[in-house]
């Protein structure tokens, strides 16, 4: 069984590696790939930013063709969808939304697979209320490293189930996912927008109106300094009842007119289009463009959840050097101090990004040992990659995040050290015990797993 040799990377473009790419069309082929002796890692749509979804010198197994919707199942008041792990989130939404249903948790892009969502235990804008995807998946199909097919579930003792959430593809091929759907009154959101003059106000506003919004996020200007440090725009919303839709949308509340996709970012520009000058102008304009306060803005679900999906291949604007996302969570108690330090450092270095996002997180999932979410505040920012200069800056930030009791997100990471990871995820040894049982020969391994020494 040989695949095509190809150089690939994650969404950030760095690092990259040459791998043997396999794209099975049937479950039987996937089982065959699991039984073969070679080292391998599964891959969905490659939206993890760093090196989680490929294996340099080994096999990278694309799950995208295993994408059948298997069943929609009602159980009392609850509804679940069962679908193969290669199913794309955008296609799943297209299939269930006309029935008034929507996945309980979605990340900031719909161009991901269900397998990728589970492996990273993704969170959305509703984590403070509804938790991560692991709170909404009662059962999974997993093809273990020996090719055996397991149905694993949320029963307390099922360590393999919990180790698969946040396990970054290292426990086996997720074959299918059973995911909770929620009933939604329309395909639209009512969004309240509010400018926030500084960081303390953004943080306070998150908690002040906690009960009023199911979904919240704040964009922040990470180039602002002094008394404006951390100024931003809060975007908070709830699903909009059909009767409150504008008249022209009321007859078909689940239909969202598709905007034509913005053109692709053409071939890779020779240099990054993201530099301090373009960023300062963008951030200033974005901040000013938003009203001081406006309530009840009607937005289609896709504009609200997945604004970046309209621009194809936007990751290319960073040029051939690529970019890195720096995403961390810090506990509420230390959040303001940590964020001030990080933002001051980034602002001083003049390497800001136009994508800087704050979110509030609720309780984590303690049984999912490598799952990222924990109570507190998240900051996510994209930084152009400028080699050692960026690495040195981010290493310094790692130390600050760690000092404040925080941690980084594996789905976004491309560079932290094994020692930093170990300090941020003290539950690693417990996860490794499960990994050693299911995969004693370490057949499921990625570049990320090697870099962070995740193997027992
Ligand atoms: C614009 C953008 C916005 C994002 N916003 C968010 C957000 O709001 N919240 C959030 O939590 N994340 C967010 N992410 C990260 C993204 O949700 C995760 O990286 C997700 O895992 C990507 O899914 P994928 O199908 O592309 O998986 P890949 O990137 O291909 O793989 C990710 C991991 O999943 C594993 N994997 C994939 N398929 C399987 C399978 N079938 N079986 C076992 N393991 C598998 C891979 O081995 C790898 O470790 C965002 C990413 C982008 C690009």
């Amino acid at each position: 069984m040989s695949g095509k040799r190809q150089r690939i990377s994650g969404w950030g473009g760095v690092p990259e590696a040459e791998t043997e790419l396999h794209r099975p069309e049937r479950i039987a082929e996937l089982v065959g790939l699991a039984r073969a002796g070679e080292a391998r890692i599964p891959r969905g749509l490659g939206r993890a930013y760093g090196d989680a979804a490929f294996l340099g010198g080994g096999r990278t197994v694309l799950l995208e063709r295993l994408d059948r919707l298997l069943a929609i199942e009602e159980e009392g008041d609850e509804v679940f969808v069962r679908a193969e792990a290669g199913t794309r989130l955008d296609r799943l939404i297209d299939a269930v939304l006309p029935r008034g249903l929507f996945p309980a948790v979605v990340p900031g892009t719909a161009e991901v697979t269900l397998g990728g969502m589970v492996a990273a235990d993704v969170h959305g804008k509703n984590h403070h209320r509804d938790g991560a995807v692991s709170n909404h998946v009662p059962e999974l199909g997993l093809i273990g490293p020996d090719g055996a097919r397991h149905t694993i579930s949320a029963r307390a003792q099922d360590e393999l189930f919990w180790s698969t959430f946040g396990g970054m593809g290292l426990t086996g091929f997720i074959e299918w996912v059973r995911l909770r759907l929620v009933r939604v009154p329309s395909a639209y959101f009512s969004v309240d927008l509010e400018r926030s003059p500084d960081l303390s106000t953004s943080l306070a506003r998150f908690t002040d109106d906690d009960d009023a919004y199911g979904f919240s996020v704040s964009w922040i200007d990470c180039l602002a300094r002094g008394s404006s440090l951390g100024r931003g725009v809060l975007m908070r919303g709830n699903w909009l009842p059909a009767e409150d839709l504008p008249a022209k949308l009321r007859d078909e509340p689940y239909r969202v007119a598709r905007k034509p996709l913005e053109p692709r970012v053409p071939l890779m520009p020779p240099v990054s289009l993201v530099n301090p000058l373009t960023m300062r102008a963008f951030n200033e304009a974005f901040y000013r463009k938003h009203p001081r306060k406006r309530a009840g803005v009607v937005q289609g679900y896709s504009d609200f959840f997945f604004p970046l999906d309209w621009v194809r291949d936007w990751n290319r604007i960073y040029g051939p050097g690529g970019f890195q996302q720096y995403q961390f969570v810090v506990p509420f108690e230390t959040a303001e101090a940590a964020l001030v330090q990080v933002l001051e450092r980034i602002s001083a270095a003049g390497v800001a990004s136009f994508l800087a996002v704050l979110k509030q997180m609720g309780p984590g999932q303690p049984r999912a040992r490598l799952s990222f979410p924990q109570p507190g505040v998240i900051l996510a920012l994209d930084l152009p990659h400028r080699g050692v200069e960026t690495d040195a800056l981010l290493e310094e930030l790692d130390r600050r995040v760690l000092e404040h009791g925080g941690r980084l997100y594996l789905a976004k990471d491309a560079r932290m050290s094994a020692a930093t990871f170990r300090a941020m995820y003290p539950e690693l040894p417990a996860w490794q015990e499960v990994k050693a049982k299911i995969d004693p020969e370490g057949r499921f391994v990625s570049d990320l797993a090697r870099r962070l020494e995740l193997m027992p």
Side-chain angles (χ1 to χ4, degrees):
M1 214 178 289
S2 70
K4 185 177 154 203
R5 296 206 72 79
Q6 198 170 314
R7 272 194 94 66
I8 55 173
S9 71
W11 186 243
V14 279
E16 53 174 26
E18 186 170 299
T19 189
E20 192 182 297
L21 215 52
H22 291 258
R23 193 182 267 116
E25 309 255 348
R26 293 191 314 276
I27 297 295
E29 279 176 69
L30 192 60
V31 171
L33 282 161
R35 290 214 174 108
E38 289 80 358
R40 85 298 300 231
I41 191 74
R43 181 177 175 99
L45 289 177
R47 267 15 181 220
Y49 281 65
D51 48 3
F54 58 82
L55 177 61
R59 294 178 162 187
T60 300
V61 181
L62 280 166
L63 275 282
E64 62 187 9
R65 296 219 175 124
L66 301 169
D67 63 348
R68 283 178 308 158
L69 210 89
L70 302 171
I72 292 188
E73 297 160 346
E74 297 208 14
E75 223 177 78
D77 285 346
E78 299 198 301
V79 190
F80 297 89
V81 60
R82 212 147 53 80
E84 286 180 343
T87 304
R88 293 172 59 116
L89 178 59
D90 47 7
R91 305 247 165 87
L92 179 75
I93 293 172
D94 285 348
V96 300
L97 188 57
R99 304 172 192 217
L101 299 166
F102 201 83
V105 166
V106 296
T109 171
E111 294 172 0
V112 290
T113 62
L114 294 185
M117 286 170 65
V118 167
D121 196 14
V122 299
H123 57 272
K125 294 181 170 71
N126 54 343
H127 189 272
H128 59 295
R129 283 252 184 118
D130 301 319
V133 78
S134 50
N135 292 74
H136 303 281
V137 173
E139 212 175 36
L140 289 174
L142 187 83
I143 301 175
D146 58 356
R149 290 170 83 180
H150 308 263
T151 294
I152 50 178
S153 78
R155 287 187 311 275
Q157 295 310 315
D158 199 336
E159 294 291 349
L160 180 55
F161 177 81
W162 293 111
S163 299
T164 297
F165 290 95
M168 304 309 286
L170 298 166
T171 56
F173 293 121
I174 299 166
E175 179 188 336
W176 54 264
V177 177
R178 187 162 187 253
L179 173 71
R180 186 194 315 278
L181 301 173
V182 290
R183 295 185 202 279
V184 295
S186 74
Y188 291 84
F189 268 81
S190 168
V191 183
D192 292 353
L193 301 170
E194 187 180 339
R195 273 202 233 159
S196 148
D198 54 39
L199 183 66
S200 320
T201 313
S202 303
L203 292 176
R205 300 295 285 129
F206 266 150
T207 34
D208 286 353
D209 299 327
D210 210 16
D211 295 338
Y213 300 99
F215 301 83
S216 59
V217 66
S218 176
W219 168 86
I220 60 164
D221 175 356
C222 52
L223 276 176
R225 296 183 187 212
S227 60
S228 301
L229 186 89
R231 72 176 180 176
V233 181
L234 281 141
M235 304 165 185
R236 297 178 293 174
N238 292 308
W239 288 104
L240 188 64
E243 59 273 22
D244 296 342
L245 282 171
K248 61 178 190 274
L249 301 174
R250 232 170 281 156
D251 287 345
E252 291 184 283
Y254 295 112
R255 208 175 93 93
V256 181
R258 285 235 182 245
K259 276 199 243 170
L261 282 181
E262 297 292 330
R264 273 174 192 275
V265 172
L267 298 174
M268 184 76 82
V271 292
S272 169
L273 303 178
V274 179
N275 59 51
L277 214 65
T278 53
M279 281 302 90
R280 199 171 289 284
F282 175 87
N283 282 5
E284 186 66 31
F286 192 87
Y287 184 70
R288 300 273 161 224
K289 172 188 123 161
H290 281 86
R292 254 178 236 293
K293 202 163 181 165
R294 201 156 123 214
V297 176
V298 177
Q299 265 187 6
Y301 76 90
S302 193
D303 287 338
F304 184 69
F305 283 127
F306 316 122
L308 284 167
D309 288 356
W310 298 116
V311 186
R312 301 258 117 190
D313 300 329
W314 60 264
N315 53 344
R316 289 184 181 163
I317 61 171
Y318 289 88
F323 71 113
Q324 292 185 334
Q325 179 156 109
Y326 196 69
Q327 176 163 1
F328 62 89
V329 58
V330 272
F332 289 113
E333 304 76 56
T334 55
E336 187 159 351
L339 291 167
V340 166
Q341 283 183 15
V342 168
L343 289 172
E344 277 178 347
R345 187 65 193 85
I346 286 190
S347 181
V351 287
S353 74
F354 64 93
L355 272 181
V357 169
L358 275 186
K359 275 187 218 162
Q360 190 193 350
M361 305 297 276
Q365 186 63 268
R367 284 171 292 181
R369 306 264 170 39
L370 301 189
S371 166
F372 164 70
Q374 63 176 26
V377 177
I378 272 184
L379 177 66
L381 28 95
D382 287 338
L383 300 172
H385 179 70
R386 298 199 198 122
V388 285
E389 190 192 319
T390 314
D391 290 342
L393 172 67
L394 296 182
E395 266 162 42
E396 186 189 326
L397 300 187
D398 289 353
R399 284 195 292 278
R400 297 188 186 194
V401 169
L402 194 51
E403 276 161 22
H404 286 98
R407 62 192 187 198
L408 305 192
Y409 185 15
L410 284 186
K412 306 291 178 77
D413 177 60
R415 43 141 294 279
M416 84 169 123
S417 70
T420 301
F421 178 76
R422 218 158 275 249
M424 288 179 173
Y425 286 80
E427 299 277 343
L428 175 65
W431 179 87
Q432 286 176 325
E433 267 181 44
V434 180
K435 170 77 176 161
K437 267 189 229 152
I438 181 109
D439 188 14
E441 291 166 29
R443 289 178 176 179
F444 276 71
V445 57
S446 58
D447 278 20
L448 173 137
R450 285 181 175 153
R451 173 170 57 84
L452 296 178
E453 297 167 13
L454 296 186
M455 311 309 272

